[in-house]
Amino acid sequence: MYDYLIVGAGLSGAVFAYEATKRGKKVKVIDKRDHIGGNIYCESIEGINVHKYGAHIFHTSNKRIWDYVHQFATFNHYVNAPVANYQGKLYNLPFNMNTFYTMWGTTTPQEVKEKIAEQTQHLQDTEPRNLEEQALKLIGKDVYEILIKGYTEKQWGRSATELPPFIIKRLPVRFTFDNNYFNDCYQGIPEGGYNVIIKKMLEGIDLELGVDFFEERGAWEAQANKVVFTGMIDQYFDYKHGELDYRGLRFEHEVLDTDNFQGNAVVNYTERSVPYTRIIEHKHFEFGNQEKTVVTKEYPADWKKGDEPYYPINDVANNAIFANYAKEAESLKDKVIFCGRLADYKYYDMHLVIERALEVVEAEFGE
Ligand code: FAD
Ligand code: UDP
């Protein structure tokens, strides 16, 4: 008999498993995939750690979380500075003085501010109702049309006028020559890839891979006093309040016989007509000097039940469905803990997943 059965060997499940074990609890972790790590899993190909489920860059401003992850790995000095390719022309991201120079030839912050004001002034008294209105108000039509519209519409599979404004607020706008994609104080890639972290968290813990909780739900539940569930919350409740929607992705990995394909880890393709959103060249996350290289094209895809659920779609309709499941979850709290990107149906980055898992641990163990 276990104290906890943890469904999901991703980051959320691994943090909980590690912390519970540290407190003398007996835990078992299961995952339906044949590997640990969930979406942060890396596979070594040609000596390169390939981020199998999309590029993952760790970043946070929370010193506690930064210190926390250092128990499990050393982080390198990688700084994410993606480049956008639009019709063969390259622009630095996020939107900064380098981007504006390429776009308009402007050389000073004053000139840039004037240029943006020209394109946004008439919108300053409006409250954006969707992503398009938000982007036009924030940065104007040139940047919107070249760097945002096509990428966003293919990423989300719907018009920017049907998307919530908050998605675009994730992207910084800077009046300095700073290509760092994140505003956070701390950033890096774990040396040896993300598996190093998960392996260390799960060291010595009972683990079973390739098993789906729902196939033998009763038998799994009977093995533990409590379940920690990090899968899809609507599936847990047998979709009784309706199905939550997700955005899917398809990854095309390729080994190339060159040591350097694109000179950067991340190149976004912002035109609507290019079917993928970005090409990742994994070796650059760890400054690799292998003879070959591995690249991944990331294709956004419609999601249907049974596909891997990558991005929750936190629009009004889905959030309303989630609220019903959250109520159900609350009433089960003595028996089941829900946590993670899928169980909380939130667009968490890794640092937020760890923060959330530690919050759950503190609530559970009374610290
Ligand atoms: P998951 O990793 O999804 O793990 C859940 C696990 O539960 C999975 O392994 C799944 O197989 C298992 N499971 C589900 N249902 C069952 C079941 N019924 N039975 C058994 N097992 C089950 N974050 C960043 O900080 N930086 C980034 O650059 C970044 N980039 C990202 C890029 C992409 C394309 C995506 C999709 C996400 C990105 N993230 C990034 C977010 C990051 O992936 C998540 O924060 C993190 O992986 C979530 O961990 P989790 O354990 O909550 O969920
Ligand atoms: N985005 C864009 N152009 C880009 C990169 C991002 O318009 O070149 C928009 C897009 O709408 C995306 C959002 O900004 O969904 C957030 O981007 P981020 O890179 O944070 O997305 P994620 O890491 O979640 O894939």
Side-chain angles (χ1 to χ4, degrees), residues 113-158:
K113 283 179 183 164
E114 283 165 14
K115 195 86 192 163
I116 293 177
E118 252 172 48
Q119 298 189 11
T120 62
Q121 220 152 29
H122 62 292
L123 298 170
Q124 288 321 304
D125 293 333
T126 60
E127 186 53 46
R129 287 164 303 179
N130 55 53
L131 192 149
E132 176 167 293
E133 290 180 6
Q134 177 68 66
L136 289 171
K137 178 175 174 180
L138 195 72
I139 196 78
K141 116 178 172 328
D142 290 350
V143 174
Y144 175 65
E145 279 169 7
I146 293 174
L147 298 176
I148 299 176
K149 186 175 162 52
Y151 186 98
T152 298
E153 293 190 341
K154 64 185 164 181
Q155 166 86 340
W156 296 102
R158 56 189 83 179

Side-chain angles (χ1 to χ4, degrees), residues 99-106 112 115-116 119 139 142-143:
T99 327
F100 304 133
Y101 175 67
T102 310
M103 191 161 297
W104 298 316
T106 43
V112 170
K115 195 86 192 163
I116 293 177
Q119 298 189 11
I139 196 78
D142 290 350
V143 174

Side-chain angles (χ1 to χ4, degrees), residues 55 57 59 80 82-85 93 95 131 135 143-144 146-153 155-156 163 166-172 181-182 249 266-270 277-278 298 311 341 347 349:
I57 299 107
H59 57 96
N80 198 32
V83 168
N85 182 320
L93 293 173
F95 314 131
L131 192 149
V143 174
Y144 175 65
I146 293 174
L147 298 176
I148 299 176
K149 186 175 162 52
Y151 186 98
T152 298
E153 293 190 341
Q155 166 86 340
W156 296 102
L163 286 164
F166 78 89
I167 296 177
I168 204 66
K169 282 192 176 163
R170 285 165 64 96
L171 287 185
Y181 200 57
F182 302 112
L249 284 174
V266 184
V267 177
N268 290 1
Y269 285 78
T270 55
T277 45
R278 48 190 176 187
E298 207 171 293
Y311 294 103
R341 218 185 204 215
Y347 204 117
D349 273 340

